[in-house]
């Protein structure tokens, strides 16, 4: 009987002196690989089932390359290159999308997101933080923090400099994958595990966290936090903060619909429907009291912002005289009222 896998990837990475994984680079991760490919690979690796990250020798890499030559030439070519590696190799096999068990598994799922093989919140990332070691990201790669002082000294003694660009659990995405059709002004502000859609431009102050991103095309000038997925044609103004929420029972995604505009220093804590506008400086949380206005700017009803989540064609603004948060819609207030009552 053929073996089916949720994901499979062959990687090269960095271990500390105790043999613990610090990071893994997967050049060509696979989502739902063919049964023929899996059946050719698993006997060589000695795979026995379940989610596993298996150390792979250069000889195994060469054997897998030969086995895949007529099945998947792209993966075969990759394995040929890996067989020449001077760094440790790993094959990570996921039979299902369950909670993470190892650092190579965590890196595989982050790669699936940044390679656009899965969208934010489509993957189970439970337990990821303890499995991602906090390391020094340097011009020579990942360095264990306990080993950093000695590495810095060794570099100086050789007349070299070990430059530490950050100390974090997450590396920058562009050190692992650069998605097609994007512009990124400051790559240090995009974490591995970000989903950056085709046609996305991220300006200098833009930031995209892991398990978050943009459908594209669109302009990101503010912060896209974990749990936020921005729709096509949206513009997040400079300094805006669109905050997703992480709760103990699981992740809640804050989606931003197509064609939205979130002004400078503005932000939302609710999902937005298509073509919503939030004026500059206005932050909307789920519990914000919002005054619904009709086409004559007359008050119809006061609701909580969460009641407007996902509704299209809304304009959120703050009344300059009263300070009240107001909402106007291209639809009649009666239609909106009917939708709200139906939702409740």
């Amino acid at each position: 009987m053929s073996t089916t896998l949720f994901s499979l990837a062959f990687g090269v990475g960095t271990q500390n002196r105790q043999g613990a994984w610090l990071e893994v680079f997967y050049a060509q991760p696979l989502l739902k690989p063919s049964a023929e490919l899996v059946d050719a690979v698993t006997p060589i690796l000695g795979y026995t089932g379940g989610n596993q990250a298996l150390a792979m020798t250069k000889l195994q890499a060469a054997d897998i390359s030969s086995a895949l030559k007529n099945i998947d030439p792209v993966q075969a070519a990759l394995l040929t290159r890996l067989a020449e590696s001077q760094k440790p190799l790993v094959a990570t096999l996921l039979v299902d999308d369950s909670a993470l068990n190892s650092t190579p598994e965590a890196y595989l799922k982050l790669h699936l997101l940044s390679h656009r093989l899965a969208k934010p919140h489509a993957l189970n990332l439970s337990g990821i933080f303890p499995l991602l070691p906090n390391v020094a990201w340097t011009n020579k790669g990942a360095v264990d923090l306990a080993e950093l002082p000695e590495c810095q000294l060794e570099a100086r003694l050789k007349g070299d400099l070990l430059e530490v660009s950050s100390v974090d659990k997450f590396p920058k995405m562009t050190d692992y994958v650069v998605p097609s059709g994007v512009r990124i002004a400051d790559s240090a502000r995009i974490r591995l595990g970000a989903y950056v859609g085709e046609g996305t431009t991220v300006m200098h102050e833009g930031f995209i966290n892991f398990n978050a991103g943009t459908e594209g095309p669109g302009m990101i000038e503010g912060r896209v936090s974990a749990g936020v997925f921005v729709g096509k044609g949206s513009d997040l103004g400079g300094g805006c903060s669109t905050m997703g929420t992480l709760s103990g029972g699981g992740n809640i995604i804050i989606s931003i619909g197509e064609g939205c505009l979130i002004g400078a220093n503005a932000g939302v804590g609710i999902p937005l429907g298509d073509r919503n506008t939030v004026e500059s400086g206005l932050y909307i949380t789920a519990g914000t009291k919002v005054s619904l206005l009709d086409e004559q700017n007359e008050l119809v009803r006061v609701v909580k912002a969460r009641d407007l989540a996902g509704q299209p064609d809304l304009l959120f603004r703050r009344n300059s005289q009263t300070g009240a948060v107001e909402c106007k819609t291209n639809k009649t207030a009666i239609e909106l009222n009917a939708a709200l009552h139906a939702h409740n």
Side-chain angles (χ1 to χ4, degrees):
M1 187 172 111
S2 295
T3 302
T4 59
L5 292 177
F6 173 74
S7 183
L8 167 66
F10 306 102
V12 55
T14 306
Q15 295 175 318
N16 64 13
R17 291 170 184 168
Q18 286 71 47
W21 288 102
L22 300 181
E23 58 85 37
V24 182
F25 171 71
Y26 299 104
Q28 295 162 1
L30 296 172
L31 186 68
K32 298 181 179 178
S34 70
E36 185 181 11
L37 185 151
V38 173
D39 288 343
V41 167
T42 50
I44 300 172
L45 293 172
Y47 173 70
T48 58
N51 291 354
Q52 293 192 44
L54 303 173
M56 183 171 60
T57 66
K58 292 193 285 186
L59 179 59
Q60 285 176 311
D63 289 344
I64 295 172
S65 176
S66 297
L68 295 182
K69 194 165 294 184
N70 296 322
I71 299 173
D72 190 328
V74 174
Q75 291 291 319
L78 169 64
L79 268 299
T80 298
R81 299 297 305 277
L82 292 179
E84 304 168 352
S85 174
Q86 301 303 309
K87 300 280 284 183
L89 303 176
V90 63
T92 302
L93 303 91
L94 303 181
V95 70
D96 57 30
D97 182 26
S98 55
L100 298 165
N101 296 303
S102 67
T103 299
E105 289 181 27
Y107 267 83
L108 173 51
K109 289 195 177 181
L110 293 176
H111 276 73
L112 291 176
L113 287 162
S114 290
H115 277 271
R116 299 177 184 153
L117 295 175
K119 291 185 177 180
H121 282 250
L123 300 176
N124 185 347
L125 299 180
S126 299
I128 190 170
F129 285 101
L131 295 172
L132 294 177
N134 194 32
V135 302
W137 300 101
T138 79
N139 58 322
K140 301 296 183 181
V143 177
D144 189 295
L145 290 178
E147 301 168 5
L148 180 61
E150 184 177 347
C151 291
Q152 289 175 315
L153 176 59
E154 288 176 358
R156 292 283 182 168
L157 293 176
K158 296 175 182 178
D160 201 358
L161 173 65
L162 186 66
E163 180 181 352
V164 179
S165 58
S166 68
V167 178
D168 196 6
K169 288 178 173 286
F170 293 84
K172 62 182 179 181
M173 181 190 72
T174 53
D175 283 347
Y176 292 79
V177 55
V178 178
S180 61
V182 302
R183 292 171 54 207
I184 300 173
D186 185 351
S187 62
R189 299 179 67 83
I190 315 296
R191 277 176 153 182
L192 181 64
Y195 183 109
V196 187
E198 184 93 20
T200 298
T201 296
V202 186
M203 299 302 289
H204 293 81
E205 294 304 317
F207 171 84
I208 304 179
N209 209 341
F210 82 103
N211 205 26
T214 68
E215 184 75 26
M219 176 79 72
I220 303 299
E221 297 179 85
R223 179 181 179 86
V224 183
S225 298
V228 177
F229 192 57
V230 181
K232 295 180 180 178
S234 294
D235 185 357
L236 274 66
C240 75
S241 178
T242 49
M243 302 296 293
T245 302
L246 301 179
S247 59
N251 295 335
I252 301 171
I253 189 166
I254 302 295
S255 60
I256 308 298
E258 296 183 9
C260 290
L261 171 61
I262 302 176
N265 299 309
V268 294
I270 61 170
L272 295 183
D274 295 341
R275 300 173 301 279
N276 276 212
T277 299
V278 181
E279 77 166 8
S280 298
L282 177 59
Y283 196 103
I284 302 170
T285 65
T288 299
K289 296 292 184 67
V290 180
S291 299
L292 296 179
L293 305 181
D294 61 19
E295 294 176 353
Q296 287 72 45
N297 290 325
E298 296 294 330
L299 177 64
V300 176
R301 186 182 176 198
V302 177
V303 300
K304 290 184 177 180
R306 66 168 63 93
D307 296 325
L308 301 173
Q311 297 281 346
D313 302 300
L314 300 181
L315 165 63
F316 293 92
R317 68 188 189 189
R318 188 178 294 279
N319 188 297
S320 60
Q321 293 182 321
T322 66
V325 177
E326 299 175 340
C327 177
K328 292 194 66 176
T329 175
N330 293 336
K331 300 180 179 180
T332 67
I334 294 177
E335 288 176 331
L336 181 58
N337 252 336
L340 288 173
H341 283 301
H343 176 73
N344 294 332

